[in-house]
């Protein structure tokens, strides 16, 4: 059969798109025999199924017509008020007019990219950074500038280097960073805010994991510090990790002029986020449910994290190091420099274990090949022990080969 010339032409933007490396790995992990440390999925045991079911029932019973009708682009006002109260501090109050409800954090990244990025615009990102943000921003063809990180988070002085000047924004995950699991220290938060204020660079603070702290003390948000210092901080939040990702509900906190423009962008995208979902989420959390629900989720994640850390200590050979998160879902592993995590992944998959090599979290081709991300929240303790033991043997074999 002769091939035919397609009757369509993709845009240049569409032709540049590539599939998520993590999503490709996750295709392998659908096999039940595979022990997957790859996906950054919340633990299903932490989903409050009955409470969410009851919340949808209450939303429909209270005002079913409104729940099933179109809504305002800004979002359900009682939910916006709840979020404003939730993120406010005495020093940095937030009003509902500074809240936009979005269909998950990924939509937040998309509309913020549309708002700020022209082709060739400078965008500052941590090195490494969240793959989903790179996917969302890259479609607008920015000129990325990498900001170096260490065990205390991003290095604020990097914001003041010459190549960073004129950036449209810096994107950062200060709490339990994805992929590194690290937390930006208080001193660096304060310095980052001051340097960005001086350089006139807005900060996008992505904080999907902040409520999942199970060790250490909570630190002030960049939003709070920024408002006190007069810097522009845009905060992203999500109900995916504290309730359930299937709700696809998140929010953006920003100065009102930014919210107004984001509303126009969202109107051209999906008009508004699901009315019934917004009303149900408000019904679920409006009575203080999160303060009852989150301690059990934190304890679950702490137990899983501690179990994986102990297994790594037992099975990983000398020369391998890793981060010790105070919260969240991820551990970042650094191997001896001569090892390549992408090559080791193939050996691991052959033995039914999966992880994410570090490469997809970096900008460009010049990145360390000896890093990988492990996620511990959706794997049983027995399978953590088994999977880490297999990885440890693979690493020992690789080191013996030199």
């Amino acid at each position: 059969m002769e091939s035919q010339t397609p009757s369509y032409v993709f845009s240049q933007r569409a032709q540049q798109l590539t599939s998520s490396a993590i999503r490709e790995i996750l295709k392998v992990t659908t096999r039940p025999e595979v022990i997957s440390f790859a996906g950054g999925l919340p633990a299903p045991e932490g989903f409050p199924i009955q409470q969410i079911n009851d919340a949808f029932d209450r939303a429909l019973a209270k005002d079913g017509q409104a729940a099933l009708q179109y809504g305002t682009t800004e979002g359900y006002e009682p939910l916006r008020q709840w979020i404003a109260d939730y993120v406010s501090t005495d020093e940095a109050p937030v009003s509902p007019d500074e809240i936009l409800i979005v269909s998950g954090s990924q939509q937040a990244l998309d509309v913020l990219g549309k708002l700020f990025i022209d082709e060739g615009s400078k965008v500052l990102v941590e090195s490494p950074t969240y793959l989903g943000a790179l996917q969302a921003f890259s479609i607008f063809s920015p000129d990325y500038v990498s900001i170096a990180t260490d065990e205390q988070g991003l290095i604020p002085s990097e914001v003041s280097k010459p190549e960073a000047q004129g950036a449209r924004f810096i994107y950062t995950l200060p709490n339990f960073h994805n992929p590194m699991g690290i937390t930006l220290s208080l001193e660096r938060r304060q310095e980052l805010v001051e340097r960005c204020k001086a350089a006139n660079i807005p900060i996008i603070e992505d904080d999907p994991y902040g409520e999942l702290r199970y060790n250490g003390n909570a630190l002030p948000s960049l939003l709070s510090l920024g408002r006190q210092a007069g810097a522009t901080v845009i905060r992203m939040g999500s109900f995916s990790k504290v309730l359930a990702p299937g709700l696809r509900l998140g929010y953006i906190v920003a100065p009102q002029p930014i919210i107004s423009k984001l509303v126009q962008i969202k109107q051209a995208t999906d008009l508004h986020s699901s009315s019934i979902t917004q009303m149900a989420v408000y019904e679920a959390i409006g009575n203080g449910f999160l303060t009852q629900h989150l301690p059990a989720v934190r304890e679950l994640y702490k137990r899983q994290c501690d179990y994986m850390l102990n297994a790594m200590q037992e099975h990983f050979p000398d020369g391998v190091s890793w981060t010790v998160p105070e919260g969240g879902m991820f551990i970042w592993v650094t191997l001896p420099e001569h090892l390549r995590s992408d090559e080791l992944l193939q050996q691991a998959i052959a033995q039914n274990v999966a992880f994410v090599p570090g490469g997809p979290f970096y900008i460009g081709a010049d990145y360390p090949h000896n890093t990988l991300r492990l996620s511990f929240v959706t794997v049983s303790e027995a399978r953590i022990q088994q999977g880490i033991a297999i990885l440890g043997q693979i690493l020992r074999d690789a080191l013996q080969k030199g």
Side-chain angles (χ1 to χ4, degrees), residues 9-30:
V9 178
F10 289 147
S11 68
Q12 291 288 327
R13 178 174 293 143
Q15 293 179 45
Q16 294 173 8
L17 294 176
T18 58
S19 297
S20 162
I22 295 177
R23 293 293 170 182
E24 293 302 309
I25 294 170
L26 290 180
K27 291 179 182 178
V28 176
T29 67
T30 58

Side-chain angles (χ1 to χ4, degrees), residues 87 89 92 94 126 154 156 170-175 183-196 201-207 219-236 253:
V87 300
T89 63
V94 174
E126 295 161 309
L154 68 84
I170 180 171
Y171 170 77
T172 179
L173 298 103
N175 294 319
T183 298
L184 187 64
S185 67
L186 176 59
E187 294 75 17
R188 291 196 179 182
R189 291 174 191 235
Q190 294 167 330
E191 183 182 351
L192 175 66
V193 164
E194 292 297 335
R195 286 182 180 272
C196 285
I201 298 174
I203 300 170
I204 295 180
E205 176 187 28
D206 192 358
D207 191 30
L219 297 175
S221 67
L222 294 174
L223 175 71
S224 175
L225 294 173
R227 292 200 166 201
Q228 294 176 65
T232 298
V233 179
I234 300 160
R235 181 177 173 85
M236 294 170 46
V253 185

Side-chain angles (χ1 to χ4, degrees), residues 97-111:
D97 291 339
E98 297 175 300
I99 308 291
L100 174 65
I101 305 296
V102 290
S103 301
S105 290
Q106 201 63 28
Q107 186 181 66
L109 293 167
D110 176 64
V111 296

Side-chain angles (χ1 to χ4, degrees), residues 63-104:
D63 196 346
Q65 290 182 342
L68 299 176
Q69 185 57 279
Y70 289 114
T72 61
T73 304
E74 291 85 348
Y76 184 50
E77 199 281 332
L79 181 59
R80 290 164 56 223
Q81 181 66 65
W82 185 94
I83 294 168
D85 294 341
Y86 193 66
V87 300
S88 290
T89 63
D90 292 340
E91 301 80 14
V94 174
S95 76
D97 291 339
E98 297 175 300
I99 308 291
L100 174 65
I101 305 296
V102 290
S103 301

Side-chain angles (χ1 to χ4, degrees), residues 236-294:
M236 294 170 46
S238 171
F239 294 103
S240 291
K241 308 303 187 296
V242 297
L243 285 178
L247 295 168
R248 304 312 305 131
L249 209 63
Y251 56 88
I252 300 172
V253 185
Q256 210 281 323
I258 291 177
I259 293 293
S260 293
K261 189 56 67 174
L262 287 171
V263 165
Q264 295 173 350
I265 294 171
K266 183 172 169 61
Q267 285 172 348
T269 303
D270 66 353
L271 299 182
H272 66 90
S273 297
S274 165
S275 298
I276 188 172
T277 302
Q278 292 183 67
M279 294 174 70
V281 165
Y282 176 71
E283 289 295 326
I285 64 177
N287 62 359
F289 169 68
L290 282 184
T291 60
Q292 307 163 30
H293 170 64
L294 285 174

